[in-house]
Amino acid sequence: MLDPRAPFLVPAQGERLVRDAYRRDFRQRDAQIRNRDSWKFERRQHFEEQGSPSHDAFRRGDWEEALRLLDERRDDLLAVTREDERRGSFFHRVRVVERPLTPYMRWELHSLRLRAECGERVRVVGVEKVTASERAAPLPEVVILGGRTLYHVLYTETGVPNGAVRYTDPGLIGGWEKYIKSLYEAGEDVMSYFDREVAHLPSPTTKAE
């Protein structure tokens, strides 16, 4: 049954990490996980991806090149899945999708479909699934590593990565993990969603704004 409310995150109860510190902390903690799953909740409908040649091509309006560069990541993504299997720790992603699809979401759903093809566990939910938790503001972007660490991932207004707030309180992490799991259980596999809602769409004819 879908849990209707997400726990509230209080920044003062966590530790603010600048972008480089967040990336280092994430890698270190993720490498230690064994036999415990991780979860990601994505809510924003636009990000400015950093270090992604495919996204750069998308921004230039070169859709075919963007898709080709996405597919070049296949071997790396398959290697990540093999490592997850070795550690007994799998990454689950819940992606909120609003209609009509933003240009960015068009691109990201292609990326998420590729991830799913390579073994990542990705499901899509409509915005109506999170309405009960968004009476004051949209929900944050959240990553939970192995049930021990929660990151509220931060972005600028334009969607550029801006570090994170790290939380380690077990009760807070457990509440968020329960919430994301409930959305995951209520969601649709990204591959079936993609085939129905995205695959037939024509290539974008203008640059993303």
Side-chain angles (χ1 to χ4, degrees):
M1 181 176 179
L2 184 63
D3 187 355
R5 295 293 180 91
F8 188 65
L9 294 176
V10 180
Q13 295 176 353
E15 182 177 354
R16 178 72 166 90
L17 303 175
V18 298
R19 184 183 175 198
D20 288 345
Y22 163 56
R23 295 173 68 182
R24 288 194 302 271
D25 194 74
F26 185 101
R27 288 195 297 267
Q28 292 169 1
R29 291 172 183 260
D30 182 57
Q32 297 171 2
I33 299 172
R34 298 292 185 276
N35 302 312
R36 185 69 191 266
D37 291 342
S38 296
W39 299 83
K40 185 170 187 177
F41 173 79
E42 293 182 303
R43 175 63 182 91
R44 291 178 62 105
Q45 302 299 290
H46 178 82
F47 295 103
E48 288 296 331
E49 301 282 348
Q50 306 292 296
S52 168
S54 173
H55 187 263
D56 292 343
F58 160 67
R59 292 286 296 166
R60 294 194 303 269
D62 192 343
W63 186 244
E64 290 185 4
E65 178 70 357
L67 297 184
R68 186 189 70 79
L69 289 167
L70 273 180
D71 198 63
E72 283 191 351
R73 300 189 61 216
R74 188 178 296 271
D75 288 346
D76 290 341
L77 293 172
L78 288 169
V80 170
T81 296
R82 290 193 294 270
E83 176 63 12
D84 287 348
E85 291 173 347
R86 186 187 69 81
R87 296 191 300 163
S89 174
F90 296 94
F91 195 83
H92 299 70
R93 186 187 303 256
V94 173
R95 202 343 148 183
V96 177
V97 176
E98 294 186 35
R99 305 286 305 200
L101 298 176
T102 64
Y104 173 85
M105 284 303 306
R106 290 272 306 279
W107 175 83
E108 187 185 2
L109 286 164
H110 277 269
S111 176
L112 293 179
R113 180 178 183 271
L114 174 63
R115 287 179 175 274
E117 288 178 346
C118 295
E120 188 173 312
R121 302 173 184 190
V122 185
R123 291 191 181 176
V124 171
V125 298
V127 69
E128 71 279 358
K129 298 293 187 183
V130 299
T131 300
S133 295
E134 294 196 328
R135 295 178 181 177
L139 285 170
E141 313 297 313
V142 170
V143 180
I144 298 173
L145 292 183
R148 294 184 176 180
T149 309
L150 183 152
Y151 298 103
H152 172 191
V153 188
L154 304 176
Y155 296 86
T156 67
E157 290 186 5
T158 59
V160 176
N162 193 30
V165 179
R166 182 183 62 202
Y167 299 85
T168 56
D169 176 73
L172 179 66
I173 294 170
W176 262 102
E177 193 169 59
K178 179 182 177 182
Y179 180 72
I180 298 174
K181 282 182 178 180
S182 71
L183 291 174
Y184 186 86
E185 291 167 0
E188 178 179 0
D189 184 270
V190 71
M191 288 196 285
S192 63
Y193 180 88
F194 181 95
D195 290 343
R196 186 183 67 254
E197 302 289 346
V198 182
H200 67 281
L201 297 176
S203 301
T205 57
T206 60
K207 294 180 182 180
E209 296 179 356

